[in-house]
Amino acid sequence: MNVSENNPLLNPGGPGQKHPWGRYVALGDSFTEGIGDPEPMNPGGYRGWADRVAEELGRGHEDFAYANLAIRGRLLQQIIDEQVGPCLELQPDLVSISAGGNDLIRPGGDPDLLAEKLDVAVGELGSTGATVVLFNGPDTAASVLGRIRGKVAIYNENLRTVAARHDAVVADMWSLRQLADPQMWDVDRLHFSPLGHHTIATMVLEALNVEHTLEPLMPKPLPPRTWREARSSDLVWAREYFVPWVIRRLRHQSSGDGITAKRPTPGPVFGPSGTLLPRR
C-alpha cells in the first residue's frame, strides 16, 4: 500500500484541483542541492529535482514559496543538526528530506542506526502537521556504488517503517528503473544528470498526486564501445573523480566545506530562464 493513500492532503480532489501546499522546504545533501544539473541562472548555479518540483508546485499558486537548505557532502547527523531547526522556523507545510546516502558510502555506515536517527527527525518535521516526503535509495547494482547495494536495501526497508510511523510519503527511487541507464547519471557517476533529475522530479510529483507539465524524457541510445574505449573512460573517471573523492575522505574534508544553502529563505519560484513561472 502506498503511504500517501492514508494522507488526506495527498488526495485534494479531481483533475484540475489545486494542491494544498503553500510553502515547501527541501533538506538534504548534494542530491537535493541539484549537483549534476547545472543551471547558471539558478541560485547556487544548479537546478536539480527539488527546483523542478517547486517550479511545478508554484504554477497557478500566487503565494507559493520555496526554500532549499541542502548542502553537498552533508552526513545525516549534519543535516539533522544544521537543517531541521531552520526548516521548522520557516513553518513549511511541505518538507522533503533525503539523507543517509553519504553515510552509507563510508565504511561502517550502519543502515539501522541511520534509520533510528532519521525516525526522530521525521517525527519532529511532521509534528507541525506538514507533509513529509522521504527518499529511499536507488538500486545501485549497475553503478560504481554496487558494493553498498545490500546496505541501501536494508536502509530502504527501515525507511518505509519510518514513513509508516509518521504518515510520510515515500519517493521510491529504488523502483525507478529508468535510473539504471548510465545517461541518468552525471560524468562523476555519483550524482544524477539533468535527465536523471528531471525523471526524479516527475516521480516525486506523482508520489504527491500533483498534476504537472513534465513530459517523460527518454535517453538516446548509446553507441557501442570497444573494451579499450570503456577501459580508457574508466581510467579518466578514476583520475578525475574517484581519487579526489577518496583523498577528501582520508583528509576528513567535504565537498560542502564553505558552501551555504542556495535558497535559505522561502521565495517565489523562478524557472531556469530567470523569469517567474507563468500560471496555468
Side-chain angles (χ1 to χ4, degrees):
M1 181 179 66
N2 190 325
V3 176
S4 66
E5 292 174 357
N6 295 328
N7 193 328
L9 287 177
L10 304 185
N11 298 282
Q17 181 72 35
K18 288 187 176 182
H19 66 74
W21 302 289
R23 178 169 292 190
Y24 167 40
V25 178
L27 313 181
D29 51 30
S30 58
F31 168 62
T32 301
E33 186 184 348
I35 302 302
D37 187 11
E39 176 48 66
M41 296 297 294
N42 273 29
Y46 292 94
R47 192 179 180 194
W49 69 264
D51 283 17
R52 294 167 184 266
V53 167
E55 290 163 12
E56 292 298 313
L57 292 175
R59 295 183 189 274
H61 292 70
E62 184 175 349
D63 297 327
F64 181 81
Y66 161 58
N68 188 318
L69 307 183
I71 297 178
R72 67 198 75 170
R74 291 301 192 258
L75 301 173
L76 173 59
Q77 191 61 56
Q78 291 175 312
I79 292 170
I80 293 172
D81 294 341
E82 301 171 7
Q83 299 177 25
V84 170
C87 172
L88 292 173
E89 291 177 1
L90 298 177
Q91 299 181 328
D93 51 13
L94 176 64
V95 178
S96 66
I97 178 169
S98 175
N102 288 326
D103 299 81
L104 291 174
I105 292 174
R106 299 187 177 206
D110 186 337
D112 296 320
L113 179 59
L114 291 172
E116 291 177 7
K117 293 181 178 181
L118 182 66
D119 180 71
V120 175
V122 173
E124 191 173 358
L125 290 169
S127 64
T128 63
T131 300
V132 180
V133 180
L134 301 178
F135 284 79
N136 63 13
D139 189 343
T140 59
S143 76
V144 295
L145 301 176
R147 64 182 179 82
I148 68 167
R149 188 186 188 217
K151 291 202 294 185
V152 172
I154 294 171
Y155 187 55
N156 287 354
E157 287 304 303
N158 289 338
L159 184 143
R160 288 192 179 278
T161 300
V162 171
R165 277 170 45 84
H166 301 288
D167 198 21
V169 180
V170 175
D172 192 356
M173 300 268 285
W174 184 274
S175 298
L176 202 58
R177 292 306 172 190
Q178 299 95 309
L179 299 182
D181 192 297
Q183 293 176 86
M184 294 284 177
W185 295 80
D186 188 35
V187 292
D188 67 4
R189 306 185 188 181
L190 296 171
H191 299 98
F192 291 100
S193 66
L195 178 61
H197 279 283
H198 175 95
T199 302
I200 293 165
T202 301
M203 178 269 291
V204 174
L205 290 164
E206 292 175 354
L208 290 171
N209 289 342
V210 171
E211 292 186 343
H212 58 83
T213 65
L214 301 184
E215 298 291 338
L217 299 179
M218 300 300 294
K220 298 178 180 179
L222 290 172
R225 294 193 303 171
T226 65
W227 175 89
R228 187 178 299 277
E229 289 172 331
R231 178 61 175 166
S232 176
S233 175
D234 288 343
L235 291 174
V236 170
W237 168 78
R239 182 181 69 249
E240 296 187 3
Y241 299 103
F242 182 67
V243 171
W245 182 86
V246 172
I247 292 174
R248 287 199 303 271
R249 298 289 81 74
L250 293 174
R251 294 176 177 175
H252 301 287
Q253 297 175 332
S254 169
S255 58
D257 290 346
I259 303 294
T260 58
K262 67 178 186 177
R263 293 178 181 263
T265 57
V269 185
F270 292 82
S273 65
T275 58
L276 189 65
L277 289 170
R279 300 180 185 178
R280 62 172 182 175

